[in-house]
């Protein structure tokens, strides 16, 4: 029997299979959404996946000390890119969120979801354990979260701003800050909801009101979610069949290849397809959760936990949005929705978590 080379054994084949399964299913949906054509979406998405998967595998070979050492520098770099968006970014769909790099349109706010987790993980790793219940454990983190969140809100992009806040707060919680701080902040946030609502843009206010009463404007602000529910419901158990979705093919479903791609899938593949996709996401999250639990360093634990919750936030909010369980906030479905910036973010998360896993394995082999 021919021995398997060590370099081949070190390749995370199970993880690659999970990522390829989710993305491959998404390519079929994009192919159908384009009316049975690989262009303009499916082939670009496939090429991006191969490139970003290679990047993730390379990142996974880095020592985690590199991420810890350059966490602050990366955060500052992405913060500068967010400022550049305000000065040089182009407008698309009424929002100014992207920088044109020629080969792709980069959305720096997506990268901040990773940068904020790394920066806060390093901050709390360096913070003496006895200071986690003092003011010095709170105000620097609030500043680090507040600056990028404010810049993203100016674009405006409420969904991404919330994702940045969630990733940062998760790291703060896992770092051991007093629970009552989070409870008090939540209570204050609920009390301030009327003020916060008044600060939203008109279209964002409409999205919240439509969420509370979806039938109040079915042909206007509520059109997206109404058509999404129709598409999901019409799919039934087994769906209408591949290439047979009427909502997406007849252009009733807006953004059927990006934010509302789950509805496009559910119409053709039904509940069975939806459960299969959720199982793929479950396997991905189970892997990253196990890595977080087994990480040998505090930085690795905080980083893996924060990045796991970032991926989970993507999945949960998108699925809740397309089913009418949350306001429409424009968060794509990881590895499934068409788009380069979101896939880059997810694969960067995967690569860093993979690096933490490899670090734990190396430490385990040394001890044995």
């Amino acid at each position: 029997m021919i021995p398997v080379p060590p370099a081949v054994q070190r390749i995370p084949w199970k993880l690659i299979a999970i990522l390829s399964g989710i993305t491959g299913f998404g390519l079929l949906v994009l192919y159908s959404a384009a009316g049975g054509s690989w262009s303009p979406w499916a082939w670009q998405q496939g090429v991006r996946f191969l490139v970003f998967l290679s990047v993730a595998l390379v990142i996974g070979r880095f020592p985690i000390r590199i991420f810890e050492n350059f966490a602050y520098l990366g955060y500052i770099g992405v913060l500068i890119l967010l400022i550049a968006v305000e000065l040089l970014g182009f407008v698309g769909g009424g929002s100014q969120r992207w920088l044109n790099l020629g080969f792709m349109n980069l959305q720096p706010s997506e990268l901040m979801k990773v940068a904020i987790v790394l920066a806060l993980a390093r901050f709390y790793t360096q913070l003496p354990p006895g200071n986690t219940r003092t003011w010095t454990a709170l105000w620097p983190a609030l500043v680090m979260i507040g600056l990028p969140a404010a810049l993203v809100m100016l674009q405006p992009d409420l969904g991404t701003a919330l994702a940045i806040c969630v990733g940062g707060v998760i790291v703060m919680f896992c770092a051991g800050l007093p629970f009552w701080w989070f409870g008090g902040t939540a209570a204050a946030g609920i009390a301030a909801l009327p003020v916060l609502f008044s600060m939203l843009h008109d279209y964002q206010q409409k999205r919240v009101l439509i969420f509370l009463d979806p039938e109040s404007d079915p042909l206007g602000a509520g059109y997206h979610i109404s058509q999404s529910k129709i598409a999901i419901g019409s799919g039934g158990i087994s769906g209408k069949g591949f290439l047979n979705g009427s909502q997406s093919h007849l252009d009733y479903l807006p953004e059927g290849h990006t934010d509302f791609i789950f509805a496009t899938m559910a119409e053709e593949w039904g509940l069975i397809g939806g459960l299969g996709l959720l199982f793929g996401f479950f396997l991905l999250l189970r892997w990253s959760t196990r890595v977080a639990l087994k990480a040998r360093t505090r930085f690795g634990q905080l980083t893996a936990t924060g990045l796991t919750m970032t991926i989970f936030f993507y999945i949960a909010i998108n699925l809740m949005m397309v089913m009418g369980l949350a306001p429409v906030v424009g968060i794509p479905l990881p590895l499934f929705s068409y788009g380069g910036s979101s896939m880059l973010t997810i694969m960067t998360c995967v690569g860093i978590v993979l690096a933490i896993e490899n670090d734990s394995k190396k430490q385990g082999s040394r001890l044995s």
Side-chain angles (χ1 to χ4, degrees):
M1 187 174 182
I2 301 176
V4 180
V8 177
Q9 293 179 354
R10 289 195 294 267
I11 298 176
W13 295 109
K14 291 183 180 179
L15 175 61
I16 293 175
I18 294 171
L19 298 172
S20 299
I22 296 172
T23 306
F25 190 12
L27 294 181
L28 289 177
V29 177
L30 290 174
Y31 175 85
S32 176
S37 173
W38 290 110
S39 62
W41 304 316
W43 76 270
Q44 291 185 10
Q45 186 83 340
V47 171
R48 284 171 179 161
F49 173 71
L50 294 177
V51 173
F52 292 152
L53 176 62
S54 301
V55 171
L57 294 177
V58 171
I59 292 175
R61 306 308 302 174
F62 290 175
I64 63 171
R65 175 63 63 181
I66 292 179
F67 302 108
E68 186 171 359
N69 290 341
F70 289 93
Y72 290 152
L73 186 62
Y75 170 85
I76 294 173
V78 178
L79 195 64
I80 292 174
L81 289 177
L82 287 176
I83 297 174
V85 169
E86 293 299 316
L87 301 176
L88 306 173
F90 69 90
V91 178
S95 301
Q96 186 172 333
R97 304 175 184 175
W98 299 272
L99 291 174
N100 190 346
L101 302 182
F103 63 95
M104 70 173 288
N105 294 325
L106 178 66
Q107 187 175 351
S109 58
E110 288 286 336
L111 299 178
M112 182 53 75
K113 297 175 184 178
V114 180
I116 190 64
V117 170
L118 291 173
L120 287 178
R122 181 179 179 183
F123 171 71
Y124 286 114
T125 299
Q126 296 177 321
L127 188 72
N131 290 351
T132 55
R133 293 181 174 273
T134 65
W135 179 244
T136 56
L138 182 61
W139 73 263
L142 294 181
V143 172
M144 293 170 68
I145 295 173
L147 286 176
L151 288 171
V152 173
M153 283 296 293
L154 291 175
Q155 295 179 357
D157 190 351
L158 177 61
T160 302
L162 289 175
I164 292 171
C165 293
V166 167
V169 169
I170 290 297
V171 175
M172 294 170 66
F173 181 80
C174 294
L177 272 65
F179 181 78
W180 71 267
W181 284 3
F182 300 95
T185 303
I190 294 175
L193 279 178
V195 177
L196 297 175
F197 180 79
S198 66
M199 297 172 62
L200 297 176
H201 292 264
D202 291 340
Y203 79 93
Q204 293 173 333
Q205 293 181 357
K206 288 182 179 179
R207 286 179 176 179
V208 175
L209 295 175
I210 285 298
F211 164 67
L212 299 174
D213 186 10
E215 306 303 324
S216 61
D217 189 11
L219 298 179
Y223 184 77
H224 285 67
I225 191 61
S226 296
Q227 296 302 320
S228 177
K229 288 181 177 179
I230 292 173
I232 295 173
S234 63
I237 300 297
S238 58
K240 295 179 178 178
F242 185 52
L243 298 175
N244 292 325
S246 58
Q247 291 297 110
S248 58
H249 291 174
L250 298 178
D251 293 330
Y252 286 109
L253 181 64
E255 307 297 335
H257 64 295
T258 54
D259 295 345
F260 286 86
I261 192 173
F262 183 83
T264 301
M265 181 279 301
E267 184 181 19
E268 296 188 358
W269 297 81
L271 179 63
I272 295 176
L275 291 176
L277 179 60
L278 289 177
F279 182 68
F281 285 134
F282 165 75
L283 293 178
L284 178 60
L285 292 171
R286 184 183 68 166
W287 165 76
S288 60
T289 300
R290 287 180 172 179
V291 173
L293 293 174
K294 295 179 180 179
R296 69 178 185 88
T297 65
R298 179 173 173 81
F299 176 80
Q301 291 173 345
L302 294 176
T303 299
T305 301
L307 297 181
T308 297
M309 288 305 301
T310 296
I311 298 174
F312 174 78
F313 184 83
Y314 265 99
I315 299 169
I317 296 300
N318 180 272
L319 295 181
M320 292 173 65
M321 176 185 73
V322 299
M323 290 186 285
L325 301 177
V328 177
V329 291
I331 290 183
L333 190 59
L335 304 174
F336 214 73
S337 296
Y338 175 79
S341 295
S342 61
M343 180 176 285
L344 175 60
T345 301
I346 295 299
M347 297 305 284
T348 302
C349 291
V350 169
I352 296 174
V353 175
L354 182 59
I356 296 171
E357 181 184 43
N358 289 333
D359 177 78
S360 300
K361 289 180 179 179
K362 290 178 182 177
Q363 182 68 15
S365 62
R366 292 194 194 102
L367 293 177
S368 60

